[in-house]
Amino acid sequence: MDSKDFTISLSYRSEYVSDRASVIERETGKMEMWNVLSDLWEPKDNPDGIVNLGMAQNWLLRDIVLQRIRYSFDPPSSALTYTEGTTGSKRLKDAMSKFINHHFFPSKRVLPEHVSVTNGTTSALEHISWALADPGEYFLVGQPYYMNFVANLTWRFGARLLTVSFEKDDDRFSEVAVKKYQQALDKAKAEGKKVAGILLCHPHNPLGRCYPRKVLIGMMKLAQAHRVHIIADEVYALSTWENTVDKECAPANFHSLLSIDPNGIIDGHRVHVVWGMSKDFAAKGLRVGALISQYNSHLHNSLIETGYFTMISSFSDHIAVNLLEDEEWLQWYIPEHQRRLSQNYAKTARWAQNNGINYVKGANAGLFMFADLGTKYREIHCISPTLNVTQWVQRALKAKKVFLSSGDDFGYEKPGWFRIVFCVPDYCLFEGLGRIIEALNEGWKKNNV
Ligand SMILES: Cc1ncc(COP(=O)(O)O)c(C=O)c1O
């Protein structure tokens, strides 16, 4: 499959909003997730609702995190005004840098001035796009990619995305990936496309795996050779866990990009990491993200004023400080979080095995499993090989009111793959998994939606 070039084309015209807003208005209409969220299944309160195994959210630790937040929620009166700057209070930057030093094992100590805090990782990614690429310049991302990279990087500031595609049996976490990125960079250069950076999702959404250290080093060398930035989205950094099911696999453990000393590999100005509390702290609604860049003070300086647009609420700042400073609680919380993720992966992997569903083996990170529902669908129902099986599965899932994101959404080359989020309470997980099997068995019939 060819790589894709995401460029916003101003082909729509509107009298009522700008042309570019009009393009996005149409794109947004395709996003099912927001409708799903307003009609969530609950056995008693909304029995006709939709089971959501499509959004990468972590419910497993919600009550615990909420309890911990309540325990010390005593905001100072200053929480009603701005903090010291637009990119997080001094205390939060201090707490976050200590937290990162403790859990990401950086090769050089992270200092508060290496951190710019934003209202969510999404905003940190958009700052990356704005600050590191001029309009028309590209970021490279491997397929499949976290679907919102397209919006985060391309929608508002004119940067573009070039996807790197793989062959059927390529290991996307091996040296092969470095080679593929190299070919993509060479091709872009030959076509006169200017690349600003390589963006890695590490740990990977939706594949649930981490890049081995040596592959990260290969990517860094490649970025240096082409004088481009390298950015790792490490929003799942601590959502890594033991895979107790796929014993035959030996997945790479997580090593932060920050843990690799850039000396002799890459100019440190080009190395950046984004992280946030949405996944590792089960707190999407808190809107806490961060951009960590240890050598590029220009990048942080460029956010002093533009940070106004993405300022974290002073209340969230206060809450984040309380969580990150509580080392004793963290010592219990993080392993507990990882233990629960491991358990729920195991439940989901056994369900897949018992039902003869193929999935990406050897995952050890993230909140989801990537599974091939299309092959199973084809086994049960005779549909022509020329028809897009993803659409058939999608329709069958919709008829059974269970929501999953498809591999197509992530730009995956193979049809029929879906991401199943397993970090929901058991009653919801088993309801959703049961509905998936029903959807596959019954298939989609024209009159059942
Ligand atoms: C890889 C990745 N990056 C960023 C985000 C967005 O995180 P936030 O809620 O902090 O904006 C997500 C959420 O699904 C994600 O999977």
Side-chain angles (χ1 to χ4, degrees):
M1 189 195 247
D2 279 346
S3 59
K4 292 189 213 153
D5 177 340
F6 284 96
T7 305
I8 291 287
S9 96
L10 298 183
S11 51
Y12 300 120
R13 298 277 158 201
S14 167
E15 270 187 66
Y16 307 113
V17 288
S18 66
D19 293 345
R20 64 184 175 189
S22 168
V23 174
I24 304 308
E25 186 192 353
R26 278 158 202 260
E27 288 295 315
T28 311
K30 292 183 208 152
M31 289 179 183
E32 209 186 328
M33 194 177 76
W34 303 117
N35 299 333
V36 171
L37 289 181
S38 59
D39 186 21
L40 287 178
W41 173 78
E42 272 302 328
K44 282 207 184 96
D45 295 341
N46 191 19
D48 294 329
I50 303 164
V51 180
N52 179 17
L53 302 186
M55 184 166 127
Q57 57 180 341
N58 184 355
W59 275 25
L60 300 178
L61 274 299
R62 251 188 204 182
D63 291 347
I64 282 165
V65 173
L66 194 59
Q67 205 181 17
R68 176 63 194 77
I69 289 173
R70 284 201 180 112
Y71 173 71
S72 57
F73 188 67
D74 185 14
S77 58
S78 60
L80 286 172
T81 183
Y82 292 165
T83 58
E84 297 96 350
T86 60
T87 56
S89 68
K90 283 187 185 138
R91 191 161 166 200
L92 178 54
K93 287 185 186 187
D94 195 47
M96 206 177 268
S97 49
K98 283 192 182 125
F99 176 82
I100 292 167
N101 285 325
H102 195 89
H103 295 281
F104 288 56
F105 306 104
S107 66
K108 164 172 129 165
R109 272 187 77 68
V110 173
L111 302 176
E113 59 265 34
H114 299 157
V115 179
S116 288
V117 180
T118 54
N119 56 357
T121 317
T122 299
S123 299
L125 285 164
E126 201 184 50
H127 277 314
I128 287 281
S129 170
W130 171 78
L132 302 183
D134 280 310
E137 293 183 1
Y138 287 85
F139 288 97
L140 289 190
V141 293
Q143 289 175 230
Y145 45 82
Y146 162 53
M147 60 177 106
N148 284 343
F149 279 161
V150 178
N152 300 166
L153 299 177
T154 73
W155 276 10
R156 293 206 295 181
F157 300 120
R160 297 171 176 184
L161 209 65
L162 208 51
T163 68
V164 181
S165 62
F166 291 83
E167 303 304 324
K168 195 166 155 265
D169 295 318
D170 284 346
D171 177 355
R172 293 156 206 256
F173 296 89
S174 70
E175 306 281 358
V176 172
V178 183
K179 212 164 140 207
K180 290 279 179 185
Y181 276 78
Q182 169 154 21
Q183 286 166 356
L185 279 164
D186 291 341
K187 186 162 177 272
K189 198 170 172 186
E191 291 170 356
K193 293 176 175 164
K194 186 158 187 271
V195 174
I198 294 172
L199 173 59
L200 301 178
C201 193
H202 169 62
H204 196 279
N205 176 7
L207 297 178
R209 288 179 55 190
C210 307
Y211 289 94
R213 202 176 171 79
K214 97 170 174 231
V215 175
L216 290 176
I217 293 173
M219 294 284 188
M220 289 164 102
K221 286 185 175 160
L222 182 63
Q224 178 60 22
H226 285 261
R227 305 181 73 79
V228 303
H229 294 272
I230 180 159
I231 308 109
D233 178 341
E234 300 190 356
V235 76
Y236 296 100
L238 303 177
S239 300
T240 53
W241 31 267
E242 188 189 356
N243 184 329
T244 56
V245 180
D246 314 318
K247 296 250 168 63
E248 69 281 14
C249 305
N253 289 330
F254 174 72
H255 292 271
S256 170
L257 199 65
L258 300 173
S259 71
I260 300 168
D261 182 355
N263 269 319
I265 299 178
I266 184 171
D267 172 355
H269 288 82
R270 301 187 201 282
V271 180
H272 321 279
V273 163
V274 294
W275 178 74
M277 296 178 77
S278 290
K279 317 293 177 179
D280 295 345
F281 284 86
K284 255 173 143 40
L286 208 53
R287 307 312 298 141
V288 180
L291 196 168
I292 305 124
S293 191
Q294 294 190 271
Y295 299 83
N296 197 335
S297 55
H298 303 286
L299 174 57
H300 294 293
N301 293 341
S302 76
L303 302 187
I304 291 174
E305 286 302 313
T306 51
Y308 260 118
F309 299 118
T310 58
M311 247 164 104
I312 166 177
S313 143
S314 301
F315 285 91
S316 290
D317 191 299
H318 169 75
I319 291 170
V321 163
N322 281 334
L323 295 178
L324 297 175
E325 281 183 351
D326 189 347
E327 283 174 23
E328 201 183 323
W329 180 74
L330 288 174
Q331 258 182 31
W332 171 82
Y333 169 78
I334 291 169
E336 178 62 17
H337 161 65
Q338 296 175 338
R339 191 182 66 78
R340 291 188 190 195
L341 295 182
S342 167
Q343 270 183 350
N344 271 37
Y345 173 80
K347 289 173 200 164
T348 313
R350 281 198 205 99
W351 162 87
Q353 290 177 357
N354 292 340
N355 288 286
I357 292 170
N358 183 27
Y359 60 94
V360 168
K361 304 273 179 342
N364 63 348
L367 317 179
F368 29 73
M369 160 188 281
F370 203 49
D372 176 8
L373 304 184
T375 300
K376 191 74 195 164
Y377 192 96
R378 281 190 190 284
E379 269 170 35
I380 302 173
H381 308 277
C382 290
I383 60 165
S384 152
T386 55
L387 289 178
N388 180 345
V389 70
T390 307
Q391 278 177 13
W392 285 73
V393 177
Q394 237 161 2
R395 289 167 180 159
L397 293 171
K398 198 166 178 180
K400 285 288 159 194
K401 294 200 162 186
V402 53
F403 174 64
L404 303 180
S405 301
S406 79
D408 288 7
D409 297 334
F410 298 99
Y412 194 44
E413 298 91 339
K414 301 178 202 169
W417 286 72
F418 286 79
R419 189 188 70 175
I420 302 173
V421 174
F422 53 70
C423 291
V424 294
D426 277 359
Y427 74 90
C428 198
L429 179 65
F430 290 118
E431 178 71 23
L433 297 179
R435 289 185 188 201
I436 294 172
I437 297 303
E438 283 174 24
L440 293 176
N441 284 334
E442 292 173 27
W444 179 72
K445 294 164 201 82
K446 271 208 171 74
N447 55 356
N448 72 355
V449 172

